[in-house]
Amino acid sequence: MPLDIAANVQILGPIEGRAVEILTPEAVAFVADLHRRFDGRRRELLAARQARQARFDAGELPDFLAQTSHVRAADWRVAPIPADLLDRRVEITGPVDRKMIINALNCGAKVFMADFEDATAPTWANVVEGQVNLKDRWNGVLDHVDPKSGKAYALGANPAVLKVRPRGWHLPERHLEVDGAPVAGALFDFGLYVFHNVRAAIEQGSGPYFYLPKLESHLEARLWNEVFVRAQEALGLPVGTFKATVLIETIPAAFEMDEILFELKDHIVGLNCGRWDYIFSFIKRLGRTPAFLTPDRSAMVMGKAFLGAYSLKLIQTCHRRGAFAMGGMAAQIPIKGDEAANLAAFAKVRADKEREAGAGHDGTWVAHPDLVPVAMEVFNRLMPTPNQLDKTLEGLEITQAQMLELHDGARTETGAREAIRVGVRYTQAWLEGRGAAPLYNLMEDAATAEICRTQLWQWVRLAAELDDGRVLTSELFISLFTQEMGDLRREFGSPRLEEAAHLFTRMVLSDTLEEFLTLPAYELIG
């Protein structure tokens, strides 16, 4: 039975155990207020994405906006950055699972991003327990005993600075309805976190810090700014208390970086190169056009073509405005039992981080605690100062053409098979409640599965020729898929694997390219 917590506010998920500490009438009313004020505008902005997509499909290309040229030309800077965010040389990310939060906070990274988005499958249990875990962090009672091993975990003396990534604007939280409509997952995650933790975070010398995902325009950034202002007002906090880093992980947002910084200038401390989602966005927004037929995912590397151009543009834009330019994710994980392969993987991470530090990034991301020392050594060696805000890249010109330049590389059967395996296996993990999944020596999140299914959709849709001369028709895709599923069933067979396979093939073979894999997948989880 749904619980009526206030007039026209219903909680449709169970309130069990410590959930009562999170879903208090006051906290839910706070989220409901944000919903009533901002959900209409959120829906308008999601519709605007589709209108822009129609223009892309008709031949328009992403470009710097003529109507905001005055913002790009003017001299202005973002508000001062808090002391505990001035050195962010290595950040680790991960889901809001209790043991993982403790390990990440203790691992030696400067910052930990607790992720309600791509690294968390948003089951009701996961999102509510994640809020409990973060509340315990600020209340000084974050500990854990592993029920299998009996090993005890507790927060160390010098934990990483905590940042929280709420879900993107597109994802609903169907277990909380206000006036008959589900609230946005973004407002649910953000609202509950700040309501319960903002004062404790400030009292302990830190603050309410966020990563904002998947924005596609400065107008979407403006909406977040309005949410911040309202939340601060309701909680009796001065403007500028909340601080955010925005992930530039969509191709439209990359052409509006100045404008995004400007809209959030009281509340923003930097931008981040969200490389995996950026590839996904490139395919999703431009991939119906043969000129943008992508090569194997492995060929689309940072430092080259559109990825290299946008990372340099991000550094230049951020440093001009006094904001940090954060590097991208190293997704490698330790390879047990194969020291040579492990050394090769870590060497790849080291080279990538050297490129980032040398280019001017102020810090970087890793997905596993064992990579923290690798990345830290590189940034300590190449960035002896807390950041590189003085590295302005003045005189560098990055053009629209460079921002849209396609990577060279082949399309291969191996690449198609890998996309099938990774896409299906990750979707299976997500449906089973795990948003971060170690697959084939990489820590994968939803962005990787999105690349896999959109790239296969593009190749089939545009009749892509593989390097052996064959065309990836729907028939060839089904043949490869059937072979790969035989192996996956033998090793990982389960009802969830079959659900994942059905969803993945449906999306690859659909006439239309769906916006997000996680939207239909959300209907299949609790």
Side-chain angles (χ1 to χ4, degrees):
M1 288 290 292
L3 175 66
D4 291 301
I5 199 161
N8 297 317
V9 178
Q10 288 190 323
I11 297 178
L12 305 179
I15 304 179
E16 300 170 340
R18 296 189 59 198
V20 297
E21 301 174 31
I22 299 300
L23 298 163
T24 64
E26 297 80 8
V28 173
F30 180 77
V31 174
D33 172 72
L34 296 178
H35 169 88
R36 287 173 171 141
R37 289 172 183 270
F38 301 113
D39 195 62
R41 182 59 178 151
R42 177 185 74 90
R43 292 174 183 274
E44 288 174 1
L45 289 167
L46 292 178
R49 290 183 182 180
Q50 294 313 299
R52 184 182 248 183
Q53 182 64 57
R55 297 197 299 273
F56 291 154
D57 292 347
E60 182 180 307
L61 293 176
D63 203 352
F64 301 101
L65 302 180
Q67 64 267 35
T68 54
S69 60
H70 62 285
V71 174
R72 296 193 299 277
D75 287 325
W76 50 267
R77 293 172 68 84
V78 303
I81 295 172
D84 61 340
L85 290 178
L86 289 175
D87 186 338
R88 298 169 58 184
R89 64 190 60 227
V90 179
E91 302 187 341
I92 190 167
T93 77
V96 291
D97 168 88
R98 194 170 184 89
K99 184 172 79 171
M100 290 185 182
I101 290 176
I102 296 171
N103 285 340
L105 288 170
N106 288 343
C107 74
K110 295 289 187 181
V111 172
F112 165 53
M113 185 195 78
D115 190 13
F116 285 96
E117 202 230 3
D118 273 4
T120 292
T123 65
W124 180 241
N126 281 350
V127 297
V128 174
E129 288 169 13
Q131 294 286 348
V132 170
N133 296 336
L134 296 181
K135 186 179 179 187
D136 282 354
R137 183 267 173 267
W138 291 117
N139 285 343
V141 292
L142 183 63
D143 53 25
H144 176 69
V145 176
D146 190 303
K148 292 182 180 178
S149 68
K151 184 177 178 181
Y153 298 81
L155 200 61
N158 188 30
V161 175
L162 177 62
K163 296 175 77 81
V164 172
R165 180 162 71 170
R167 280 168 278 182
W169 281 134
H170 61 287
L171 279 168
E173 177 45 70
R174 68 169 183 267
H175 298 94
L176 178 61
E177 287 188 355
V178 176
D179 304 327
V183 303
L187 298 180
F188 183 89
D189 301 336
F190 163 80
L192 291 178
Y193 177 72
V194 297
F195 184 86
H196 289 295
N197 301 297
V198 62
R199 299 202 182 280
I202 293 169
E203 287 167 3
Q204 293 173 49
S206 189
Y209 302 150
F210 299 94
Y211 260 103
L212 303 179
K214 292 185 174 57
L215 299 187
E216 298 213 16
S217 73
H218 70 284
L219 299 178
E220 294 182 21
R222 180 181 297 172
L223 179 60
W224 264 119
N225 196 71
E226 291 169 354
V227 169
F228 282 5
V229 170
R230 169 57 190 164
Q232 288 163 157
E233 177 187 68
L235 295 170
L237 301 167
V239 169
T241 300
F242 299 158
K243 295 296 182 184
T245 301
V246 170
L247 288 128
I248 301 299
E249 52 187 353
T250 69
I251 188 78
F255 287 92
E256 299 182 34
M257 289 190 281
D258 267 309
E259 293 89 336
I260 287 169
L261 288 169
F262 184 77
E263 294 293 344
L264 279 158
K265 64 180 181 296
D266 291 331
H267 298 107
I268 199 163
V269 294
L271 305 176
N272 175 291
C273 285
R275 64 173 75 178
W276 305 123
D277 265 299
Y278 197 72
I279 295 172
F280 161 47
S281 175
F282 189 93
I283 300 170
K284 180 168 68 172
R285 293 294 171 235
L286 304 176
R288 297 162 181 80
T289 305
F292 294 109
L293 182 59
T294 53
D296 281 3
R297 174 169 71 121
S298 60
M300 291 186 282
V301 296
M302 296 298 294
K304 294 185 178 180
F306 69 85
L307 289 173
Y310 116 96
S311 66
L312 291 174
K313 184 66 175 175
L314 186 144
I315 296 167
Q316 182 187 56
T317 304
C318 285
H319 288 180
R320 181 185 175 199
R321 307 305 185 184
F324 288 162
M326 303 303 296
M329 173 64 77
Q332 286 80 1
I333 57 178
I335 303 171
K336 295 178 180 177
D338 189 338
E339 187 59 25
N342 197 55
L343 289 173
F346 278 34
K348 184 181 287 189
V349 173
R350 189 173 294 108
D352 184 49
K353 301 313 171 191
E354 288 174 344
R355 175 194 57 78
E356 289 180 328
H361 281 290
D362 301 290
T364 192
W365 270 17
V366 298
H368 193 281
D370 285 1
L371 293 182
V372 171
V374 179
M376 194 71 76
E377 185 280 326
V378 170
F379 271 83
N380 286 348
R381 170 163 44 89
L382 298 180
M383 190 181 81
T385 52
N387 52 66
Q388 301 193 86
L389 287 176
D390 60 335
K391 198 163 189 174
T392 60
L393 306 190
E394 204 168 336
L396 176 69
E397 184 179 359
I398 301 293
T399 65
Q400 178 205 29
Q402 290 171 305
M403 297 273 280
L404 299 177
E405 181 188 352
L406 196 62
H407 290 73
D408 291 327
R411 287 168 291 278
T412 68
E413 177 183 325
T414 299
R417 287 181 179 273
E418 180 184 345
I420 291 167
R421 284 195 308 275
V422 171
V424 172
R425 285 281 290 120
Y426 179 83
T427 305
Q428 177 191 7
W430 202 90
L431 295 177
E432 291 171 348
R434 292 173 289 116
L439 299 174
Y440 312 106
N441 302 321
L442 294 174
M443 186 63 76
E444 306 287 19
D445 70 7
T448 306
E450 295 284 29
I451 296 172
C452 294
R453 64 98 183 173
T454 52
Q455 185 162 62
L456 288 167
W457 181 91
Q458 184 195 41
W459 289 6
V460 171
R461 187 76 174 173
L462 296 181
E465 185 176 329
L466 303 181
D467 63 342
D468 60 11
R470 291 178 299 162
V471 170
L472 189 68
T473 61
S474 57
E475 292 77 15
L476 179 55
F477 165 75
I478 291 169
S479 174
L480 297 177
F481 186 86
T482 302
Q483 294 171 39
E484 291 299 325
M485 280 302 300
D487 292 339
L488 293 177
R489 285 189 179 104
R490 281 187 288 275
E491 193 168 357
F492 306 108
S494 76
R496 285 303 200 188
L497 177 66
E498 299 306 320
E499 283 184 291
H502 176 75
L503 176 61
F504 192 80
T505 49
R506 177 173 68 78
M507 297 186 82
V508 169
L509 296 175
S510 172
D511 288 339
T512 57
L513 180 57
E514 295 191 51
E515 279 286 283
F516 292 97
L517 167 67
T518 48
L519 284 171
Y522 186 51
E523 300 304 314
L524 302 176
I525 64 173

